[in-house]
Amino acid sequence: GQQLNQSPQSMFIQEGEDVSMNCTSSSIFNTWLWYKQDPGEGPVLLIALYKAGELTSNGRLTAQFGITRKDSFLNISASIPSDVGIYFCAGLNMNRDDKIIFGKGTRLHILP
Amino acid sequence: DGGITQSPKYLFRKEGQNVTLSCEQNLNHDAMYWYRQDPGQGLRLIYYSQIVNDFQKGDIAEGYSVSREKKESFPLTVTSAQKNPTAFYLCASNPGQGGTEAFFGQGTRLTVV
């Protein structure tokens, strides 16, 4: 079946550092979504990307939809303690079905 | 307020019992999904429904059943056939038919003792 490879699996950074994570796939998607999950809660949508090459920002977050439509990255600038959590990428191809495929997540830890 | 609601937040059941998890949305979304999340793991698709009275198996459907009798409701039953049911269960919805942003409920943590 379809798979998304998300990396890194976990990150340990100092407060104030920038963060970068990415997702790749062997399949083409026409939508990429990035979510953040806090412990014991449901994922919350951060950014949605709809067009190959699109670069979208949401505050300190920036995400890009790869030109090949098989990858996406998420950057967080100047990290703060509340950025701790698990970040998931998700791909969807509405021409095929409404099935949403998720990466396995990147767990972000911020060191004091 | 529009949203997607899962209940209960925590659920305990004895081994061998069936249990049903509730998921309700008032977003008028056509598509609804159930995912399972194990500690330190990603989201695995159990079942999804693109329209009322229709649903498809996801990657790990064995031991689970669903129904979609109403647009706003997509309950998940964890049956006694599910070998390892203790997990965090997440429901999501999406407008479907070209709408692409999916929104999640708060999750239900099921513990089988």
Side-chain angles (χ1 to χ4, degrees):
Chain A
Q2 296 171 279
Q3 289 189 349
L4 290 185
N5 299 308
Q6 185 171 351
S7 64
Q9 189 173 1
S10 64
M11 302 181 73
F12 291 82
I13 62 168
Q14 299 281 351
E15 183 177 348
E17 286 186 11
D18 296 343
V19 172
S20 184
M21 60 191 78
N22 69 84
C23 271
T24 61
S25 173
S26 56
S27 302
I28 289 173
F29 292 103
N30 51 26
T31 297
W32 283 93
L33 307 170
W34 284 94
Y35 291 85
K36 182 188 179 220
Q37 184 182 30
D38 291 325
E41 300 294 327
V44 174
L45 183 64
L46 299 173
I47 291 180
L49 302 159
Y50 303 108
K51 189 176 175 182
E54 179 182 356
L55 184 71
T56 297
S57 293
N58 178 7
R60 294 178 296 105
L61 277 61
T62 301
Q64 184 158 29
F65 193 142
I67 290 291
T68 65
R69 295 167 61 194
K70 294 183 179 181
D71 64 320
S72 177
F73 72 74
L74 175 71
N75 287 341
I76 305 173
S77 63
S79 59
I80 60 177
S82 62
D83 290 336
V84 166
I86 305 175
Y87 292 80
F88 290 100
C89 63
L92 185 150
N93 187 334
M94 58 192 178
N95 295 324
R96 188 161 47 238
D97 54 36
D98 284 320
K99 199 170 171 181
I100 303 174
I101 309 299
F102 281 85
K104 293 190 175 182
T106 295
R107 187 178 291 272
L108 180 63
H109 304 266
I110 297 183
L111 302 171
Chain B
D1 286 337
I4 180 166
T5 302
Q6 290 184 243
S7 61
K9 178 77 171 172
Y10 300 95
L11 191 54
F12 294 86
R13 278 294 181 270
K14 290 185 178 180
E15 194 171 338
Q17 288 182 335
N18 291 356
V19 60
T20 297
L21 281 59
S22 169
C23 180
E24 303 277 332
Q25 53 96 2
N26 60 5
L27 300 166
N28 200 34
H29 284 175
D30 282 321
M32 296 186 74
Y33 310 80
W34 275 105
Y35 293 89
R36 171 182 171 137
Q37 186 176 31
D38 293 288
Q41 301 296 313
L43 306 177
R44 293 187 290 169
L45 182 64
I46 304 172
Y47 269 99
Y48 68 110
S49 168
Q50 293 173 278
I51 200 165
V52 175
N53 292 322
D54 186 50
F55 49 83
Q56 288 80 40
K57 292 182 178 180
D59 300 319
I60 55 165
E62 186 175 349
Y64 299 98
S65 66
V66 293
S67 62
R68 187 86 188 275
E69 296 175 0
K70 298 186 295 182
K71 187 175 188 177
E72 57 270 24
S73 179
F74 191 40
L76 173 74
T77 296
V78 185
T79 74
S80 56
Q82 168 51 234
K83 298 302 179 191
N84 186 18
T86 294
F88 190 52
Y89 290 88
L90 287 161
C91 179
S93 72
N94 160 301
Q97 300 180 24
T100 55
E101 295 179 8
F103 300 94
F104 282 86
Q106 309 95 317
T108 293
R109 184 167 299 282
L110 173 64
T111 302
V112 175
V113 297

